[in-house]
Structures are given as structure tokens and as C-alpha cells.
Amino acid sequence: MSTIKNWHEQHSETLTFGSRIADKVASNMGSWRFIIIQTIIVAIWMLLNVFAYISHWDPYPFILLNLLFSTQAAYAAPIIMMAQNRQNERDRVQAQADYQTNIEAKKEIEALTIKLNSLEVDKLDKIIKMLEEMDKK
């Protein structure tokens, strides 16, 4: 038995390994969980460097931390753009699938309308025939 796949399943099967990773990274970076974890890490980094008893590996103004943020932004922006481009592609595929479904539904509705009209005409013909027979009697 074969199952019919919807547009989303068909589209997901065409994604490359890199595309899947980019989508996963973008979905994680665009979450509250990521923001909260990153905020906690930054706060700990700053506290450890301000109140360090042994050594300040990144003293104020936290140049190493700024470098890490710059590197993260340099990689995050293109990855997020790749994920957005794929989302646009998914939207186009879904819109095309919806359009095809609408065309098929329209054809079926038109066929049903023609069938119903012919049934109505047949009924009216029978009624007229019966009335004519009644008039003859």
C-alpha cells in the first residue's frame, strides 16, 4: 500500500543536510530559550570577569565577548537568511498546491452543477408530460 504524501512531506524530502541544519539553527536562535540561555551566559561571563579572584581573561570593556558576539552575528545572519529563503520556497509550494486543489474543486463543482441542472430539466419534463396527460383526460 502506498501513501500519498502531502506537499510538506515532499518538500522536506528534498532538503539537503546543510538545509536541515540551517533550519534547525535558525529555529533555535529565534527562540526565547536561546535568548534566556545566552543572557545567562553573558551575565556569568561579565560577573566572573568583574569579580575574578584569579585572573581576568576578558576585562572590562569585554572585548573578547564583543568579538564572540560579532562572530556569532556574522554566521547567524546568513544561516537565518537561508532558512527564510526556504520558508519562502515552502510557502510558494503550498500556494501552488492550494491553487491546484482549488482548480480541481472548481471542476468538480461545475460537473455537479451540470448534473444537477440536467436532473432538474428531466424532472420538469416529466412534470410537464404528466400535466399534459392529465389535460387530455
Side-chain angles (χ1 to χ4, degrees):
M1 242 187 245
S2 67
T3 59
I4 299 173
K5 296 179 181 177
N6 64 26
W7 65 268
H8 181 69
E9 291 168 340
Q10 291 172 349
H11 181 73
S12 294
E13 289 176 354
T14 64
L15 293 178
T16 64
F17 179 71
S19 297
R20 291 178 199 274
I21 289 176
D23 286 346
K24 192 71 172 166
V25 168
S27 68
N28 286 332
M29 289 187 85
S31 69
W32 278 108
R33 181 177 182 259
F34 176 81
I35 292 171
I36 291 168
I37 290 172
Q38 183 168 337
T39 301
I40 291 169
I41 290 171
V42 168
I44 290 171
W45 180 290
M46 290 175 157
L47 287 172
L48 288 175
N49 278 289
V50 169
F51 299 110
Y53 292 110
I54 298 171
S55 69
H56 298 272
W57 72 88
D58 187 22
Y60 181 82
F62 311 115
I63 295 171
L64 182 57
L65 182 62
N66 285 324
L67 177 64
L68 291 174
F69 278 140
S70 298
T71 304
Q72 177 187 10
Y75 282 97
I79 289 172
I80 291 169
M81 290 296 292
M82 285 188 286
Q84 287 176 338
N85 288 340
R86 263 188 305 291
Q87 180 62 47
N88 289 339
E89 183 182 333
R90 280 189 296 261
D91 291 344
R92 279 191 298 277
V93 170
Q94 182 181 12
Q96 184 62 35
D98 290 346
Y99 177 73
Q100 286 303 120
T101 301
N102 290 340
I103 287 175
E104 291 169 12
K106 180 184 176 199
K107 287 178 182 177
E108 288 180 25
I109 290 169
E110 288 172 349
L112 285 172
T113 302
I114 291 168
K115 180 80 171 174
L116 287 173
N117 285 340
S118 71
L119 289 174
E120 284 295 316
V121 168
D122 289 346
K123 282 183 185 179
L124 287 173
D125 287 344
K126 287 180 184 177
I127 292 171
I128 291 171
K129 186 177 179 182
M130 288 172 58
L131 287 171
E132 287 174 351
E133 288 177 5
M134 288 175 65
D135 280 346
K136 289 181 183 177
K137 291 182 181 179

